[in-house]
Amino acid sequence: MEQGFYKHMVTPSLAVLEEQAAENTRLLEEMNRKWDEEREAERKEKLSTHIPAPLKASGQELGDVMKHLEELIVYENYNEEEEDKTKFIKARLRHLDENAQVAAVAHSLAAYVSMLEPTHLKTFTDKIIEDTTLWVSSLFRFKDASAYFHTEEREGFVRVLRLAIHEKYPRFSSDGYEALYSRPPVIYISAAAKPGLGQYLCGQLGLPLSCINTVPCLTASRYQHRIDVAALEKLISDDIASAKTPVLVLAYAGTPALGQVDNIQKMREICKKHSIWLHVEGNHLACLTLFSVPTNVSPAKTGNSMTLNLAGWLGLPAVPYVTLYKSSDHNLVQLSGLASHNVEYKLICLPLWVCLQNMGHQGVVDRVKACVDMAKLAYEKMKPYSTLKMVLIFEIVSPSVVFRYTGEREEDKEKAPYAVKGEETRDVAPYANTSKKLNGEEELESEEVPVSSEIITQAYCDALNLWLAETLKREVPKVELETTDVINEGTCIRFAPLETAHVYETTTEDIEKLGKSLRKQLSILDATVRHKEIFHDVVEAQDNFRLVDVPNWAGLGAVQYIPDMWLDKLHDLPPEGKAQINHLNVEILRQLKSSDTAFSLGRTDQDVYIRFGLITEDTDMEELIGLVYTVAMEVEESSKYVEEMAEVVRKGIEKANEDLKKENDEKLMQEGVLRQVPGFSFLANWWSPPAKEPGIKGRTFNLSSGKIASTEETYKYHMQIQENNPEQRQSTARKGPLKANLKPPKRRSSETLQDHVSGHESKASTASTASVESSKAGGDQKATDVNSEATEVN
């Protein structure tokens, strides 16, 4: 029985206890493990505080990383902390053609190939370098040359300069800069080179700035930015006589700003005579691949080295620059860093190796020729306009176009070919008159007004060119135009399809659109320039207008309205006067912009003024200025009226209080004292009831007439009673032509000015000036004010 007890009672209980103990032990171990993990995590967190958040722990999911990368590519201003994606600006992504896709794939292959066995990798890279060097040197007619591939544009130039120094100073590798002390080296760079090039070269080679000799350019207008060969030869002779060693001359086959081609043939002869290294750069080198090479570029193949921008010329993404050079001393090449032993670095030319085979010679020629043809077409579209100055003359095939708007017209042309009457132009003000007759007679054509050089300054023309470039880029976004400052010219507009056509996918159709847009914008600019002198005359004739000189404003000009009370105190204007004038001009502009966006606000440290935008051909200048003058008078008059009414209201309130006090006294006299005593008032009112109508009436104040009246009739008829003939405040300023409010301008000696002003009576129609911000705002009129951010040059 005892055994049965243990078997049926004790043993099962012990088993249950054992299971519970095991479970408790497991739970304790699990808790200890979690505590240990938490303590370890806290320890790692403290030790990894210097690690950026995206790299902490085991990293992020690949899908999240790629999503983040995609958003960085798609949006220009992507911020991961911003949740509202509507605030992001979508980037303009380039469409990859077949060759661009091949280049992208080749970059991935280069990364994979870098993991090959060292011997296999060396054999592979040697083959790639050998083939690419042969093909590039053959395409650009630079035979028996070696190639150096680099990702930084000026790196190749630095390396060949170091090679030229080693050739001139054999002991430079052993003695270092002591070998240069007795006869210091001289490097000749054109004045048209990119700013900072000389400092960069000296910084990379450890040379003093005295080693850089800047060669002046020709001063003739059509040859500016082209190096002066005679000056170069004289500088070389002077340096040799001064115990200096000429080392290298930089020649341009297309200068950075204008695209001028130096006289490479004569420069080569000078360099050969004095044993100087000749290095050639420029976009025109791409023409060496054409079947018919321009005569001014062909001598470039006789130089010692050249740097090629194949990525830009052929539209291949991330393809390296190539510097071709000729040298027979392999040891000096290695000392100069032109021969790299890093096999992985040599793989940067693999995409170029693949793309050149895919394109072939014909593909390279087609791409270069397409850019040259687009530049030629653009030049032909611009050449007929006499107000455009072609800074770069298209004598021979050129892949660049540089022009500048000057406002000057040929004397034998009475009217520009694009000034077509009735042609639709943008940004026309709502008060434009389309009538064809005036007083029963046909409207006269406006005559040409001579442009004064005192008014049309270089700074003003610079602002017009900035406006023109921004407007053309906005209307034809696939044609990339850039502004550049040219010595003796000013701000010019440059179109270089070799640099931008492949990136922006520019075609000949886009050039045709550019020509149409240029025709439209030039008509606006020409009208503005011709009317600017008239604008000055009319404004100066008005007593209340002060002409504000804003040379960097691309528009008619700027004025400030001066109230009558401050006209005699302008030379000693108190602060409250300035504040009142500024407030008045702000209010004038507010009313003007409610109906026309051609006006904008200008500010200086102390003054506020109104800026007039660009106009169209048929603008009546006096009517336009009359509009501003009329609005200004109305604003000034209304401000005076408010001040007068404030005084009238104050006096009216005082008079109403006096009347009410008087009526209250009369009431006391009529009703007696007993009616005012509590308790007796009830008995007095019962014995002698008062009149139904109250004894004291309220007062009303009529703002139109300034009169105070009793409210008796208002309470009697339960409505407000208006006077039969109230005095109405009417302004007759806008009755009839607005120009009638102006004083006639003082006529200049030129009769054409008077003829132009009185020649037609059509109402003004303005075209607003351009800004990037206004163009985004848009609208039916698409107003584009030329504000300080867009066209004012500091």
Side-chain angles (χ1 to χ4, degrees):
M1 184 174 179
E2 184 178 355
Q3 292 179 351
F5 174 76
Y6 278 101
K7 180 178 180 181
H8 294 286
M9 296 296 293
V10 177
T11 303
S13 299
L14 292 175
V16 172
L17 291 174
E18 185 179 358
E19 290 178 0
Q20 292 179 350
E23 179 65 18
N24 293 335
T25 303
R26 187 185 65 78
L27 292 176
L28 290 174
E29 291 177 352
E30 181 69 18
M31 292 175 63
N32 289 330
R33 186 182 63 80
K34 289 183 178 179
W35 288 342
D36 291 341
E37 290 178 354
E38 291 177 359
R39 285 194 295 268
E40 182 65 18
E42 291 177 358
R43 187 182 68 85
K44 289 183 177 180
E45 182 69 22
K46 292 180 180 179
L47 296 176
S48 60
T49 54
H50 63 287
I51 303 298
L55 305 182
K56 286 186 176 180
S58 300
Q60 305 178 57
E61 293 292 335
L62 181 59
D64 297 337
V65 176
M66 298 308 294
K67 179 65 176 177
H68 186 202
L69 177 61
E70 178 185 356
E71 291 174 336
L72 287 174
I73 295 174
V74 173
Y75 300 109
E76 294 181 0
N77 59 337
Y78 175 72
N79 184 2
E80 54 186 345
E81 297 179 358
E82 179 62 51
E83 297 181 357
D84 188 6
K85 291 188 177 181
T86 58
K87 297 181 179 180
F88 298 153
I89 301 174
K90 285 192 174 182
R92 181 180 177 181
L93 302 180
R94 175 188 169 187
H95 173 72
L96 298 181
D97 58 10
E98 180 183 355
N99 292 289
Q101 294 177 7
V102 169
V105 172
H107 279 286
S108 300
L109 289 176
Y112 175 76
V113 169
S114 64
M115 296 185 296
L116 294 175
E117 292 293 332
T119 55
H120 185 190
L121 181 60
K122 184 178 183 306
T123 305
F124 178 85
T125 53
D126 288 345
K127 173 63 176 175
I128 298 299
I129 290 289
E130 181 181 354
D131 290 347
T132 309
T133 300
L134 176 62
W135 298 341
V136 173
S137 59
S138 299
L139 282 172
F140 289 89
R141 307 173 189 269
F142 206 69
K143 298 296 183 65
D144 301 327
S146 301
Y148 175 68
F149 303 92
H150 49 97
T151 56
E152 207 281 324
E153 181 180 8
R154 296 175 291 189
E155 185 180 352
F157 185 21
V158 172
R159 301 294 175 96
V160 295
L161 176 56
R162 186 179 287 118
L163 175 60
I165 293 176
H166 277 289
E167 289 188 353
K168 282 290 186 179
Y169 299 91
R171 299 181 62 85
F172 181 63
S173 58
S174 58
D175 296 347
Y177 293 105
E178 292 183 0
L180 312 178
Y181 180 76
S182 58
R183 297 183 64 89
V186 183
I187 305 156
Y188 300 91
I189 297 177
S190 170
K194 290 183 178 180
L197 178 60
Q199 290 86 338
Y200 176 81
L201 295 175
C202 292
Q204 292 294 313
L205 299 175
L207 298 175
L209 291 177
S210 58
C211 293
I212 302 296
N213 202 336
T214 303
V215 184
C217 297
L218 297 174
T219 56
S221 177
R222 62 188 303 173
Y223 298 121
Q224 58 180 332
H225 276 218
R226 187 178 298 182
I227 200 168
D228 189 344
V229 179
L232 172 64
E233 189 169 15
K234 185 178 185 303
L235 289 174
I236 292 175
S237 300
D238 293 343
D239 288 335
I240 294 175
S242 302
K244 296 181 180 180
T245 303
V247 173
L248 181 142
V249 174
L250 174 62
Y252 278 109
T255 53
L258 294 187
Q260 288 279 14
V261 179
D262 293 331
N263 193 336
I264 303 176
Q265 180 64 40
K266 290 187 178 180
M267 295 176 69
R268 178 56 189 163
E269 294 174 359
I270 295 173
C271 291
K272 187 175 181 180
K273 176 182 177 182
H274 298 282
S275 300
I276 304 174
W277 188 284
L278 179 63
H279 181 75
V280 187
E281 291 182 355
N283 289 333
H284 287 61
L285 290 176
C287 297
L288 290 173
T289 61
L290 300 176
F291 292 106
S292 178
V293 181
T295 55
N296 59 345
V297 180
S298 182
K301 59 188 178 183
T302 62
N304 298 98
S305 60
M306 63 173 62
T307 297
L308 310 173
N309 179 16
L310 298 181
W313 300 343
L314 304 180
L316 303 176
V319 168
Y321 293 90
V322 182
T323 295
L324 300 177
Y325 62 94
K326 296 178 181 179
S327 179
S328 57
D329 194 330
H330 186 67
N331 292 329
L332 294 182
V333 170
Q334 288 186 337
L335 289 173
S336 305
L338 290 168
S340 175
H341 296 287
N342 188 345
V343 291
E344 287 83 2
Y345 185 76
K346 293 180 180 180
L347 287 174
I348 63 173
C349 69
L350 179 59
L352 184 58
W353 182 83
V354 177
C355 291
L356 287 178
Q357 294 182 83
N358 184 56
M359 296 173 64
H361 180 215
Q362 188 61 48
V364 174
V365 171
D366 290 343
R367 294 205 166 202
V368 175
K369 191 173 185 302
C371 295
V372 173
D373 291 343
M374 280 190 285
K376 184 178 180 181
L377 179 60
Y379 181 84
E380 292 174 351
K381 295 292 182 183
M382 301 170 186
K383 188 177 180 181
Y385 304 121
S386 59
T387 53
L388 283 184
K389 179 180 180 181
M390 305 310 297
V391 182
L392 177 62
I393 306 299
F394 229 80
E395 296 177 331
I396 309 177
V397 173
S398 174
S400 300
V401 178
V402 183
F403 61 97
R404 171 178 169 83
Y405 179 81
T406 61
E408 299 176 358
R409 303 166 65 89
E410 296 180 7
E411 296 179 355
D412 57 343
K413 289 187 178 182
E414 295 183 358
K415 192 173 183 180
Y418 43 82
V420 181
K421 194 167 187 60
E423 182 181 358
E424 230 178 46
T425 55
R426 66 176 181 83
D427 304 331
V428 177
Y431 46 80
N433 189 0
T434 57
S435 61
K436 295 296 182 181
K437 292 185 178 182
L438 178 67
N439 298 328
E441 298 181 1
E442 294 293 335
E443 183 179 4
L444 299 177
E445 294 290 346
S446 60
E447 297 184 14
E448 298 298 333
V449 179
V451 178
S452 172
S453 59
E454 298 178 356
I455 298 177
I456 310 302
T457 61
Q458 179 172 327
Y460 179 67
C461 286
D462 290 345
L464 294 179
N465 280 275
L466 289 172
W467 179 88
L468 179 60
E470 291 295 332
T471 305
L472 293 176
K473 281 168 40 175
R474 185 177 62 254
E475 294 197 347
V476 193
K478 287 191 175 182
V479 178
E480 176 62 15
L481 301 174
E482 63 176 0
T483 55
T484 178
D485 292 329
V486 180
I487 300 176
N488 300 328
E489 292 290 345
T491 300
C492 299
I493 304 174
R494 178 172 176 263
F495 173 50
L498 264 178
E499 300 175 4
T500 61
H502 301 297
V503 176
Y504 291 89
E505 303 174 10
T506 311
T507 61
T508 53
E509 289 77 10
D510 297 318
I511 305 301
E512 295 289 344
K513 294 179 182 178
L514 177 67
K516 295 179 181 178
S517 177
L518 185 66
R519 170 191 176 102
K520 182 172 63 175
Q521 307 311 326
L522 287 181
S523 64
I524 295 175
L525 291 178
D526 288 348
T528 302
V529 170
R530 289 197 299 273
H531 285 75
K532 190 173 179 66
E533 188 170 358
I534 304 173
F535 173 82
H536 278 233
D537 292 340
V538 176
V539 170
E540 289 176 349
Q542 314 310 314
D543 295 335
N544 295 89
F545 271 161
R546 183 175 71 88
L547 196 62
V548 181
D549 184 21
V550 189
N552 298 327
W553 170 251
L556 278 173
V559 300
Q560 186 182 49
Y561 184 81
I562 309 296
D564 293 334
M565 63 180 298
W566 299 111
L567 282 177
D568 299 332
K569 303 177 183 179
L570 287 179
H571 298 291
D572 189 17
L573 197 63
E576 59 271 16
K578 294 181 180 179
Q580 183 178 352
I581 292 174
N582 291 340
H583 176 75
L584 187 64
N585 280 268
V586 170
E587 181 62 24
I588 294 170
L589 180 68
R590 188 186 66 80
Q591 295 197 20
L592 287 172
K593 289 184 73 70
S594 63
S595 60
D596 187 1
T597 57
F599 305 99
S600 61
L601 190 68
R603 294 180 182 273
T604 61
D605 295 337
Q606 297 181 346
D607 295 329
V608 173
Y609 50 88
I610 301 170
R611 298 185 298 192
F612 286 67
L614 300 175
I615 61 173
T616 53
E617 180 68 27
D618 56 349
T619 297
D620 187 333
M621 186 56 56
E622 289 187 335
E623 189 74 8
L624 175 64
I625 300 175
L627 171 68
V628 180
Y629 192 78
T630 303
V631 172
M633 288 193 301
E634 292 176 352
V635 172
E636 182 184 8
E637 187 178 356
S638 64
S639 64
K640 291 180 180 178
Y641 177 69
V642 170
E643 294 176 358
E644 293 173 359
M645 288 305 301
E647 182 65 20
V648 171
V649 169
R650 185 184 64 80
K651 292 181 179 179
I653 293 174
E654 293 177 355
K655 187 176 185 303
N657 289 331
E658 292 176 359
D659 291 345
L660 291 174
K661 183 178 179 182
K662 182 178 180 181
E663 287 189 5
N664 189 41
D665 295 340
E666 292 177 355
K667 178 183 177 182
L668 290 175
M669 295 295 295
Q670 293 175 1
E671 295 181 352
V673 179
L674 290 178
R675 291 185 186 273
Q676 313 303 321
V677 178
F680 289 96
S681 62
F682 176 77
L683 182 61
N685 291 336
W686 173 78
W687 180 264
S688 176
K692 294 182 179 180
E693 296 182 0
I696 300 179
K697 282 81 176 179
R699 294 294 186 269
T700 61
F701 183 73
N702 193 322
L703 292 176
S704 299
S705 61
K707 295 181 179 180
I708 297 177
S710 173
T711 59
E712 180 177 359
E713 292 185 353
T714 301
Y715 288 109
K716 181 177 181 180
Y717 299 104
H718 301 285
M719 62 184 297
Q720 291 184 347
I721 308 300
Q722 297 290 339
E723 297 182 13
N724 293 331
N725 296 313
E727 297 179 6
Q728 299 293 334
R729 178 182 177 83
Q730 297 181 352
S731 174
T732 60
R734 296 206 185 191
K735 291 183 179 181
L738 300 179
K739 66 176 70 177
N741 298 320
L742 300 176
K743 291 184 177 181
K746 297 178 181 180
R747 305 301 183 185
R748 304 197 178 193
S749 59
S750 173
E751 296 181 358
T752 57
L753 177 61
Q754 182 177 1
D755 296 338
H756 186 84
V757 173
S758 61
H760 54 82
E761 294 288 333
S762 62
K763 288 211 171 184
S765 117
T766 63
S768 61
T769 49
S771 82
V772 178
E773 301 164 345
S774 304
S775 64
K776 290 182 180 177
D780 293 337
Q781 294 181 348
K782 297 182 181 177
T784 50
D785 293 336
V786 185
N787 56 23
S788 59
E789 299 172 348
T791 58
E792 290 202 31
V793 183
N794 294 327

